[in-house]
């Protein structure tokens, strides 16, 4: 039986920058040259020194490290039932302060770039009016247009960065402008705490040479449904199909026949054992079944009429299964039988008994010594 577990490594947040392009249109009163109408494009001459100061690289994705810091409080213990979203622990994290600082800086940059756009729009409007009255040269209008496009592009980038920093604060549940806030780690699902590997005062998911920062903080499993795994020998693989019912008997509950269904069939055969892993979904509403329990799975295959007797009809004699068949009033025949699968209190008989024969189902031990 395998467990379904979620390992918490801290509140990880990935962020990347998105570059936007500025957009601006000349006012209707101005009539700049046609080549200047598209303000989404900023052109720098190939021989310009400004071009040599610009570096370009592909936009990429990267896995960002989780938020790390010192554990302040552990709010749950081993065996606790937790609900999705329930607080598990709090951390004191310098990354949290860094997120607040980044948000403050992003908001400041957004305000500055917005003011720059407003000034650039005013300068462009004035240049357009002067150009319309032949009061300034065309190059002055070109420069004003370029300044406006650059300002709008910078403002859009600043807006994107500010949205990302605000989103990070939201994910970490931190308030803006306030430093030294504890970071709260919540349960990602409803389930039971199976492991707690952290204590107050430990540093986790941070740069440290004295602590294993990659170890899971705790393990939570939703045990309302569990998986029972079985290694099926190669010759029997064609008999297994998704959705088919199977009978399960656990060592802890030997007298109970449990019903499950095949939920998943492995894709790769084990080269050493020549078996294929099959997973059966077993409902566990009251939590009786625990990870790492052992048992057996029986696949009935297509149903067919089978000779069965109660298990009380069979006795063991020198390693053989024996049943007694009534041959007349007070007369009983000792019969060796071969048994098949069990279903509760019934045992299938592969050989030795025929339908409608009368077998002794109580008191067989009394006949054994006769």
């Amino acid at each position: 039986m395998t467990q379904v577990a979620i390992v918490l490594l801290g509140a990880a947040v990935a962020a990347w920058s998105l570059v936007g392009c500025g957009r601006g249109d000349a006012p209707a009163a101005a009539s700049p040259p046609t080549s200047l109408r598209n303000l989404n494009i900023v052109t720098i001459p190939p021989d310009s020194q400004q071009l040599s100061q610009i570096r370009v690289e592909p936009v990429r994705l990267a896995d960002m490290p989780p938020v790390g810091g010192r554990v302040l409080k552990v709010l749950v213990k081993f065996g606790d039932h937790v609900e999705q979203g329930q607080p598990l622990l709090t951390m004191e994290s310098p990354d949290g302060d860094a997120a607040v600082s980044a948000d403050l800086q992003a908001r400041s940059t957004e305000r500055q770039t917005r003011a720059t756009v407003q000034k650039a729009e005013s300068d462009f409007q004035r240049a357009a009016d002067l150009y319309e009255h032949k009061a300034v040269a065309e190059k002055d209008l070109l420069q004003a247009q370029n300044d406006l496009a650059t300002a709008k592009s910078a403002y859009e980038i600043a807006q994107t960065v500010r949205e990302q920093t605000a989103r990070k604060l939201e994910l970490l549940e931190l308030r803006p402008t306030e430093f030294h806030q504890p970071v709260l780690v919540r349960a990602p699902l409803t389930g039971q705490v199976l492991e707690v590997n952290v204590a107050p005062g430990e540093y986790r998911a941070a740069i440290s040479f004295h602590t294993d920062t990659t170890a899971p903080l705790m393990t939570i499993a939703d045990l309302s449904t569990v998986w029972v795994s079985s290694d099926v020998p190669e010759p029997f693989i064609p008999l297994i199909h998704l959705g088919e019912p199977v009978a399960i008997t656990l060592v802890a509950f030997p007298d109970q026949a449990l019903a499950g269904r095949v939920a998943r069939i492995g894709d790769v055969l084990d080269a050493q054992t020549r078996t294929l892993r099959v997973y059966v979904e077993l409902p566990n509403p009251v939590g009786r079944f625990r990870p790492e329990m052992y048992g057996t799975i029986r696949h009935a295959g297509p149903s067919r009429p089978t000779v069965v007797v109660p298990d009380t009809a069979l006795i063991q004699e020198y390693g053989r299964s024996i049943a007694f068949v009534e041959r007349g009033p007070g007369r009983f025949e000792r019969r060796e039988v071969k048994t098949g699968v069990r279903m509760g209190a019934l045992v299938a008989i592969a050989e030795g008994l025929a339908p409608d024969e009368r077998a002794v189902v109580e008191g067989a031990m009394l006949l054994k010594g006769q």
Side-chain angles (χ1 to χ4, degrees):
M1 180 176 298
T2 58
Q3 70 183 50
V4 182
I6 299 296
V7 178
L8 301 180
L9 293 176
V13 180
W16 57 89
S17 295
L18 302 177
V19 178
C21 295
R23 178 178 301 173
D25 297 319
S31 301
T34 304
S35 60
L36 303 178
R37 298 285 177 84
N38 188 355
L39 298 182
N40 291 322
I41 304 299
V42 177
T43 304
I44 301 177
D47 56 349
S48 171
Q49 292 184 355
Q50 185 180 6
L51 184 61
S52 64
Q53 300 175 5
I54 296 176
R55 185 167 63 91
V56 179
E57 65 178 25
V59 177
R60 57 192 176 91
L61 297 178
D63 293 329
M64 302 300 290
V67 172
R70 184 170 65 91
V71 176
L72 297 176
K73 294 181 181 179
V74 179
L75 306 176
V76 296
K77 60 183 182 298
F78 171 77
D80 282 355
H81 178 82
V82 296
E83 298 291 334
Q84 183 177 9
Q86 177 179 333
L88 301 176
L89 55 89
T90 59
M91 302 181 69
E92 181 183 59
S93 173
D95 293 331
D97 287 347
V100 174
S101 178
D103 183 67
L104 290 173
Q105 183 176 355
R107 291 176 184 276
S108 175
T109 302
E110 182 186 28
R111 289 193 297 269
Q112 293 174 2
T113 54
R114 182 169 62 243
T116 302
V117 168
Q118 292 173 350
K119 182 180 182 303
E121 287 177 340
S122 178
D123 291 343
F124 175 76
Q125 182 63 53
R126 183 169 55 254
D129 291 342
L130 293 174
Y131 179 77
E132 184 179 6
H133 295 87
K134 309 300 182 181
V136 296
E138 183 178 333
K139 66 177 183 178
D140 295 326
L141 180 60
L142 291 175
Q143 184 62 49
Q145 283 186 316
N146 187 68
D147 291 344
L148 178 57
T150 302
K152 286 188 174 183
S153 178
Y155 178 53
E156 291 184 4
I157 294 174
Q159 285 182 306
T160 300
V161 174
R162 194 264 305 163
E163 290 173 359
Q164 291 173 345
T165 58
R167 176 58 176 163
K168 185 170 185 178
L169 290 182
E170 180 183 351
L171 292 174
L172 297 178
E173 300 184 51
L174 298 177
R175 297 178 296 277
T177 73
E178 184 176 336
F179 291 94
H180 308 298
Q181 300 177 62
V183 176
L184 197 62
V185 179
R186 297 182 180 273
L189 79 166
T190 298
Q192 188 173 2
V193 178
L194 301 185
E195 289 182 331
V196 178
N197 302 315
V198 66
E202 291 186 12
Y203 285 85
R204 288 300 183 93
I207 299 175
S208 172
F209 298 100
H210 306 288
T211 306
D212 181 10
T213 60
T214 62
L217 301 177
M218 61 184 64
T219 301
I220 300 175
D222 179 4
L223 298 180
S224 60
T225 300
V226 295
W227 293 91
V228 182
S229 63
S230 176
D231 295 323
V232 178
E234 189 172 5
F236 298 101
I237 293 175
L239 303 178
I240 306 296
H241 301 89
L242 287 174
E244 286 185 330
V246 296
I248 304 168
T249 303
L250 299 178
V251 174
F253 307 101
D255 298 328
Q256 298 183 24
L258 308 172
R261 289 189 175 275
V262 177
R264 182 174 178 270
I265 300 175
D267 300 319
V268 180
L269 196 71
D270 189 301
Q272 300 297 324
T273 63
R274 309 305 302 171
T275 59
L276 188 68
R277 182 64 59 90
V278 174
Y279 296 90
V280 175
E281 196 174 75
L282 180 64
N284 187 29
V286 296
R288 292 188 305 159
F289 312 133
R290 309 297 176 84
E292 306 306 328
M293 281 184 170
Y294 283 89
T296 58
I297 296 179
R298 292 184 175 87
H299 178 257
S303 61
R304 61 181 184 278
T306 304
V307 175
V308 296
V309 294
D311 53 9
T312 56
L314 303 176
I315 61 174
Q316 297 300 312
E317 188 177 73
Y318 305 110
R320 302 174 300 171
S321 294
I322 301 296
F324 288 92
V325 178
E326 185 182 45
R327 303 297 293 174
R331 297 176 57 232
F332 303 95
E333 176 186 353
R334 183 188 305 264
R335 189 88 57 86
E336 180 180 354
V337 298
K338 292 184 179 181
T339 60
V341 298
R342 290 177 175 266
M343 294 187 61
L346 297 179
V347 181
I349 304 299
E351 294 181 13
L353 293 177
D356 298 329
E357 285 190 309
R358 294 173 59 82
V360 175
V361 297
E362 290 186 10
M365 289 297 296
L366 300 177
L367 300 176
K368 180 180 179 181
Q370 299 298 321

